[in-house]
């Protein structure tokens, strides 16, 4: 399983490449996981079903946000401990992160299932969509802890020097999901129940692969026995608090996507009804995929940044940050061009041209994609600040771009530009956040103090 990786001495471009390629490929498989659901739901069940899945999406994003918060926080802390030779402490951090996050998300799923109709209406479901939303929720929400374990476990597997295994943890569930989606929706005609079950079973398999890896005694990063006395519980709470503070910006990044979907659903349904939500759902399937790639670039840089920051190798930190930023911005330009040129082909994957939502989405996607470059810059900047234990600027950027600016743009731009203003809300929010990030870097003089 192990790959030949040394975070402290290997040349930065080579090290980054060794982590980036399998991480991006793993995220591509995750993207296939997401896209497949959209294609099979849209083609096999219909436009309303696609809108219903989009209504439930914020629940999944909050779940993933909690997982990534613990994954990022624990991996940053564990990376620094490893750079100081404290292997056992790193193992304890990882074990604490997995146990505490799993317990939190089991409680989260239980509350949602107990109050499912109320939650669905709160998320913006119309009476017409409510039965479909509830059917999907009841067979998807109970499996959210498995999805979270898969998301957070990737950080620990990569930190242990096994990015290729982490890639397969994404690839195998994606393939299983594709097969089961086809069988459950088209052959068995199980509708929303089948779509939810196929996705959930894929996450169970991926989580099982993570558990199997972290249980192997030959690995440096693995589960260990944690004492349950009062002192140990107090230390666990302290460690979890610090991990959550480091990873909170990542949670809020996922929450920002949920906020975009939640607010967008309300604005679209007010202006264009269920067809507007269906059109917006295609952008919402697309947007997390772009985020996955940018997140993969940040996750590839994170152990390099954290390890070398802990070891005091500032030149290596600066080199890794510049390389990650250049890679992300290049991908941003590429994604924008591909979306602008091929919007009709992208939409046709999800919906037939006979649906009114098809035209709305085809016209709106290029506008929506205009912010992809700024999005790339902002996400990698947040990952950098987290990796070097600067939680305050990471938090500031996240709250501005994902919440304050985004909500203001959704409320204000449609009043001046109509439907085009709704599609432009996210890009304008990212542009404004980009300008603020430039100010933060300018005030700091340079991205990383260069002392070694």
């Amino acid at each position: 399983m192990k790959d030949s990786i040394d975070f402290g001495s290997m040349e930065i471009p080579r090290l980054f490449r060794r982590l980036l390629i399998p991480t991006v490929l793993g995220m591509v498989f995750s993207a296939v996981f997401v896209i497949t659901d959209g294609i099979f739901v849209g083609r096999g069940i219909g436009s309303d079903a696609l809108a219903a899945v989009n209504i439930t999406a914020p629940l999944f994003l909050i779940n993933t946000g909690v997982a990534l918060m613990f994954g990022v926080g624990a991996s940053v802390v564990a990376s620094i401990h490893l750079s100081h030779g404290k292997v056992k402490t790193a193992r304890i951090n990882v074990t604490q992160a997995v146990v505490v996050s799993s317990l939190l998300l089991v409680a989260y799923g239980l509350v949602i299932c107990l109050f499912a109709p109320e939650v669905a209406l709160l998320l913006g479901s119309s009476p017409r969509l409510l039965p479909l939303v509830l059917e999907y929720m009841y067979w998807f929400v109970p499996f959210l802890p498995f999805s979270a374990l898969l998301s957070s476990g990737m950080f620990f597997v990569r930190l242990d020097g096994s990015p290729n295994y982490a890639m397969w943890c994404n690839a195998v569930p994606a393939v299983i999901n594709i097969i089961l989606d086809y069988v459950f929706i088209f052959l068995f005609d199980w509708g929303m129940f089948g779509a939810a079950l196929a996705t959930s079973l894929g996450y169970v398999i991926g989580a099982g692969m993570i558990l199997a890896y972290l249980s192997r005694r030959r690995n440096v990063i693995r589960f260990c026995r944690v004492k349950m006395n009062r002192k140990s519980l107090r230390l666990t709470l302290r460690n979890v608090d610090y991990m959550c503070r480091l990873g909170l910006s990542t949670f809020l990044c996922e929450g920002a996507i949920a906020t975009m979907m939640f607010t967008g659903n309300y604005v679209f349904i007010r202006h264009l009804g269920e067809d507007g939500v269906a059109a917006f759902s295609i952008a919402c399937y697309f947007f997390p995929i772009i985020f996955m790639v940018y997140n993969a670039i940040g996750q590839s840089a994170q152990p390099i940044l954290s390890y070398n920051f802990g070891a005091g190798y500032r030149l290596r930190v600066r080199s890794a940050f510049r390389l990650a930023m250049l890679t992300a911005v290049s991908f941003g330009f590429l994604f924008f061009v591909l979306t602008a040129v091929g919007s009709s082909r992208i939409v046709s994957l999800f919906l037939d041209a006979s649906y009114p939502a098809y035209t709305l989405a085809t016209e709106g996607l290029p506008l929506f994609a205009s912010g992809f470059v700024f999005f790339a810059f902002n996400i990698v900047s947040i990952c950098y600040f987290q990796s070097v234990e600067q939680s305050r600027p990471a938090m500031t950027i996240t709250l501005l771009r994902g919440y304050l600016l985004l909500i203001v743009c959704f409320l204000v731009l449609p009043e001046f530009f109509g439907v085009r203003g709704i599609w432009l809300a996210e890009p304008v929010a990212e542009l404004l956040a980009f300008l603020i990030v430039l100010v933060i870097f300018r005030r700091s003089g340079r991205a990383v103090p260069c002392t070694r």
Side-chain angles (χ1 to χ4, degrees):
M1 293 183 185
K2 284 288 189 85
D3 307 301
S4 180
I5 289 177
D6 188 330
F7 291 109
S9 62
M10 188 180 291
E11 292 181 357
I12 292 296
R14 182 181 172 212
L15 178 58
F16 183 67
R17 188 168 57 249
R18 292 288 294 273
L19 289 166
L20 179 66
I21 293 174
T23 304
V24 169
L25 287 175
M27 290 297 179
V28 167
F29 284 116
S30 289
V32 170
F33 206 134
V34 174
I35 290 174
T36 300
D37 276 337
I39 293 173
F40 280 111
V41 168
R43 289 284 182 175
I45 309 175
S47 175
D48 279 2
L50 202 60
V53 173
N54 199 54
I55 293 292
T56 67
L59 300 176
F60 170 73
L61 290 168
I62 292 171
N63 173 81
T64 304
V66 172
L68 294 179
M69 176 176 67
F70 279 92
V72 169
S75 62
V76 168
V77 174
S79 297
I80 294 172
H81 283 313
L82 288 178
S83 72
H84 296 158
K86 299 178 181 178
V87 176
K88 184 176 181 180
T89 306
R91 291 172 183 163
I92 291 173
N93 292 144
V94 168
T95 305
Q96 291 169 334
V98 170
V99 172
V100 174
S101 63
S102 297
L103 291 174
L104 284 175
L105 291 171
V106 167
Y108 170 74
L110 181 61
V111 170
I112 292 171
C113 287
L114 289 174
F115 301 96
E118 293 82 359
V119 172
L121 293 172
L122 180 65
L123 291 173
S125 174
S126 66
R128 183 173 115 190
L129 297 177
L130 186 60
L132 293 172
V133 172
L134 291 177
E135 183 179 358
Y136 194 81
M137 284 173 60
Y138 283 132
W139 289 98
F140 179 67
V141 170
F143 295 90
L144 286 177
F146 296 99
S147 164
L149 179 57
L150 177 58
S151 297
S152 63
M154 300 291 178
F155 290 89
F156 311 137
V157 173
R158 281 192 288 268
L159 178 59
D160 195 55
S162 300
N164 288 324
Y165 184 83
M167 176 190 71
W168 286 111
C169 289
N170 273 322
V172 172
V175 172
I176 290 172
N177 184 48
I178 291 172
I179 295 171
L180 293 182
D181 262 332
Y182 175 76
V183 172
F184 291 168
I185 294 176
F186 286 97
L187 298 186
F188 292 178
D189 196 26
W190 283 354
M192 295 294 280
F193 157 66
L197 185 61
T199 301
S200 299
L201 292 178
Y203 285 131
V204 170
I205 298 298
M209 294 175 68
I210 293 292
L211 287 173
Y213 184 93
L214 295 177
S215 300
R216 293 173 66 95
R217 296 190 61 82
R218 71 177 68 176
N219 297 332
V220 175
I221 297 296
R222 64 174 187 262
F223 292 133
C224 67
R225 187 180 299 275
V226 179
K227 297 178 182 178
M228 297 299 293
N229 57 49
R230 183 176 298 179
K231 180 181 178 181
S232 296
L233 291 175
R234 188 165 59 248
L235 290 174
T236 296
L237 290 176
R238 186 196 68 181
N239 291 341
V240 167
D241 175 67
Y242 186 58
M243 285 185 244
C244 288
R245 281 191 281 123
L246 285 177
L248 184 58
S249 295
T250 302
F251 168 76
L252 292 174
C253 280
E254 289 287 332
I257 301 177
T259 300
M260 180 197 73
M261 292 181 175
F262 180 77
T263 311
N265 284 337
Y266 269 100
V267 175
F268 268 101
I269 206 165
R270 189 181 72 182
H271 286 264
L272 298 169
E274 284 84 357
D275 290 327
V277 177
F280 183 55
S281 71
I282 296 174
C284 291
Y285 269 107
F286 203 49
F287 192 72
I289 294 165
I290 304 301
F291 174 72
M292 284 179 189
V293 175
Y294 298 158
N295 209 24
I297 295 168
Q299 288 179 21
S300 300
Q302 180 269 312
I304 307 173
L305 293 167
S306 296
Y307 187 99
N308 287 283
F309 173 76
Y313 300 147
R314 308 302 195 197
L315 276 174
R316 291 174 62 80
V317 174
R318 188 174 188 177
S319 176
F321 171 63
R322 286 182 169 179
L323 188 56
M325 184 61 76
L326 177 63
T327 305
V329 170
S330 299
F331 270 104
F333 277 112
L334 177 63
F335 290 145
F336 167 66
V337 172
L338 291 177
T339 307
V341 171
S343 63
S344 60
R345 294 180 181 178
I346 294 170
V347 176
S348 66
L349 292 173
F350 297 87
L351 291 173
D352 187 85
S354 61
Y355 289 105
Y358 177 91
T359 302
L360 295 172
T362 301
E363 294 173 352
L365 273 184
L367 298 173
F368 187 80
S370 62
F372 284 171
V373 174
F374 307 116
F375 184 35
F377 187 93
N378 295 336
I379 292 299
V380 173
S381 297
I382 291 168
C383 288
Y384 161 71
F385 285 122
Q386 289 177 309
S387 299
V388 297
E389 296 186 295
Q390 295 184 29
S391 57
R392 182 171 295 179
M395 181 75 65
T396 300
I397 300 165
T398 303
L399 290 175
L400 285 173
R401 61 161 287 274
Y403 297 88
L404 180 60
L405 295 174
L406 178 66
I407 293 173
V408 169
C409 288
F410 262 125
L411 295 177
V412 172
L413 292 183
E415 301 300 322
F416 292 94
F417 304 104
V419 174
R420 291 170 63 88
I422 310 177
W423 290 108
L424 287 170
E426 175 67 26
V428 172
E430 295 291 352
L431 170 60
L432 295 174
F434 163 76
L435 297 175
I436 293 169
V437 175
L438 290 182
V439 171
I440 293 174
F441 279 131
R442 186 177 181 83
R443 286 186 175 179
S444 66
R446 48 188 169 180
V448 186
C450 184
T451 60
R452 186 171 176 181

